[in-house]
């Protein structure tokens, strides 16, 4: 595990901003050499070269899948040690711990994302539909958060993430990551629920990261450039995250993994499958 760089941790004002708006744009945490290794690792796993010998969850991205669509691969760190290094990054864990005000941060799961460049005439297929991550994670507590790590400079032009500030206070709203019609959801929010619709582009340079709460509505538009927009997101859980059985998400990967290990309702998601990024617990108590 890497050492914590205290100079990169959020201030009290940053934590207050995150709690008020449901997102926070963080600092650059990765140097260029590490970024080069991550980009290489991405192409290796897409080529089904798994240096650990273990496939990501759901297997490799298959050549022949829609080349214009966003590629999403879960648990890339199972297959590649460079990704493992990233998902256990101590400074990222320490930042998340401050934002979530928790003594321990563990990995819920990772997600490798590749948004192909479609050029100036980009059409749908490269969008990420408006959603709250919580929609998919009702099988645990509702205070998880996500660290979105950029492998390239991300801007509105190449389809950076867009967040709806304050929406983490609106409760759970049905959304869909794969929906390409970004207007319909927006209409529902404004007309049916009466909220003001506003989005903030989370533009960050390569090696930097943004954070968002699991109830914050987010999505993204097309990549109008000719280069891919590459990233890995670390979905992170606080110390108290435990299995809540019998929810609509009982088929989530982590619910399945928990049950395969004999876990039951109320058990903490902890152990080898959910690596620790940050902990104030004493080793004996882990
Ligand atoms: Fe998401």
């Amino acid at each position: 595990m890497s050492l914590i760089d205290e100079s990169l941790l959020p201030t009290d004002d940053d934590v207050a901003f995150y709690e008020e708006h449901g997102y926070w744009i963080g600092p650059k945490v990765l140097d260029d050499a590490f970024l080069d290794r991550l980009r290489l690792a991405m192409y290796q796993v897409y080529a089904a070269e798994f240096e650990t010998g273990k496939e990501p969850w759901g297997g490799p991205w298959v050549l022949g899948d829609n080349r214009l669509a966003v590629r999403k691969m879960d648990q890339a760190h199972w297959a590649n040690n460079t990704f493992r290094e990233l998902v256990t990054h101590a400074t990222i864990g320490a930042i998340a711990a401050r934002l979530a005000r928790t003594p321990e941060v563990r990995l819920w799961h990772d997600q490798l994302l590749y948004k192909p460049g479609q050029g100036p005439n980009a059409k749908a297929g490269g969008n990420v539909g408006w959603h709250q991550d919580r929609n998919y994670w009702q099988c645990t507590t509702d205070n998880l958060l996500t660290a979105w790590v950029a492998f390239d400079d991300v801007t509105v032009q190449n389809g950076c993430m867009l967040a709806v500030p304050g929406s983490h206070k609106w409760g759970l709203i049905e959304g869909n990551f794969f929906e390409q019609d970004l207007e319909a959801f927006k209409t529902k929010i404004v007309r049916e629920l009466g909220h003001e619709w506003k989005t903030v582009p989370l533009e960050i340079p390569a090696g930097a990261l943004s954070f968002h709460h699991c109830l914050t509505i987010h999505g993204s538009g097309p990549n109008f450039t000719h280069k891919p927009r590459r990233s890995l997101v670390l979905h992170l859980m606080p110390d108290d995250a435990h299995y809540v059985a019998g929810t609509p998400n009982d088929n989530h990967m982590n619910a399945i993994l928990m049950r395969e290990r004999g876990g039951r309702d109320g058990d903490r998601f902890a152990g080898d499958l959910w690596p620790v990024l940050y902990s104030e617990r004493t080793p004996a108590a882990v």
Side-chain angles (χ1 to χ4, degrees):
M1 196 180 276
S2 49
L3 295 174
I4 296 170
D5 184 341
E6 302 275 342
S7 71
L8 300 179
L9 301 185
T11 63
D12 289 347
D13 284 349
D14 294 331
V15 176
F17 182 96
Y18 170 77
E19 289 175 340
E20 175 67 18
H21 300 284
Y23 75 91
W24 181 63
I25 294 181
K28 183 173 165 74
V29 291
L30 309 179
D31 63 26
D32 290 346
F34 194 16
L35 281 170
D36 280 343
R37 289 168 53 216
L38 289 164
R39 294 175 190 128
L40 175 65
M42 187 172 223
Y43 288 103
Q44 286 171 335
V45 296
Y46 286 148
E49 289 175 27
F50 306 136
E51 67 178 357
T52 62
K54 184 173 177 180
E55 289 192 354
W57 177 266
W61 179 77
V62 181
L63 287 170
D65 284 355
N66 182 359
R67 285 174 173 273
L68 297 179
V70 173
R71 294 181 207 169
K72 182 172 77 62
M73 177 185 277
D74 291 321
Q75 303 293 40
H77 81 277
W78 286 2
N80 184 283
N81 292 321
T82 304
F83 290 142
R84 174 92 190 178
E85 212 176 307
L86 179 58
V87 304
T88 55
H89 198 284
T91 300
I92 296 176
I95 294 173
R98 281 217 179 165
L99 293 177
R101 297 183 189 270
T102 179
E104 183 167 296
V105 171
R106 300 184 299 278
L107 183 73
W108 175 243
H109 69 86
D110 76 46
Q111 201 162 70
L112 191 64
L113 294 169
Y114 180 103
K115 182 181 284 199
Q118 295 188 20
N121 300 315
K123 301 187 196 103
N127 295 345
V128 171
W130 299 114
H131 67 281
Q132 296 161 310
D133 297 332
R134 173 74 178 153
N135 260 302
Y136 303 97
W137 301 343
Q138 294 168 61
C139 56
T140 188
T141 45
D142 66 357
N143 49 353
L144 277 68
L145 73 169
T146 291
W148 199 102
V149 181
F151 294 180
D152 299 290
D153 295 346
V154 292
T155 62
V156 170
Q157 186 69 7
N158 68 1
C160 70
M161 209 179 81
L162 307 167
V164 179
S167 54
H168 63 307
K169 299 176 180 174
W170 297 352
L172 191 62
I173 301 163
E174 199 170 329
N176 181 1
F177 179 99
F178 295 102
E179 176 60 59
Q180 293 300 301
D181 180 355
L182 299 181
E183 288 303 309
F185 183 87
K186 180 175 154 183
T187 303
K188 179 168 95 174
I189 294 292
V190 175
R191 291 208 188 139
E192 291 177 24
L193 301 175
H195 295 301
E196 185 192 359
W197 184 264
K198 188 179 157 198
T199 62
V200 176
L202 304 187
E203 295 186 310
I204 47 176
L209 76 177
S210 66
F211 287 84
H212 62 271
H213 187 274
C214 67
L215 280 165
T216 302
I217 296 170
H218 58 285
S220 63
N223 179 353
F224 292 105
T225 73
H226 291 288
K227 293 181 180 171
R229 188 215 71 177
R230 297 166 290 189
S231 60
L232 186 137
V233 296
L234 288 72
H235 297 310
L236 301 170
M237 56 179 147
D239 187 42
D240 63 346
H242 58 269
Y243 179 39
V244 179
T247 72
N249 298 139
D250 230 9
N251 60 350
H252 185 274
M253 160 178 53
N254 279 326
I256 294 169
L257 293 170
M258 174 62 92
R259 289 195 299 273
E260 280 178 0
R261 292 160 64 97
R264 287 187 267 175
D265 184 64
D267 285 353
R268 286 168 82 239
F269 286 103
D272 295 348
L273 285 171
W274 301 285
V276 174
L277 289 84
Y278 174 85
S279 184
E280 293 167 14
R281 287 168 176 264
T282 56
V286 171

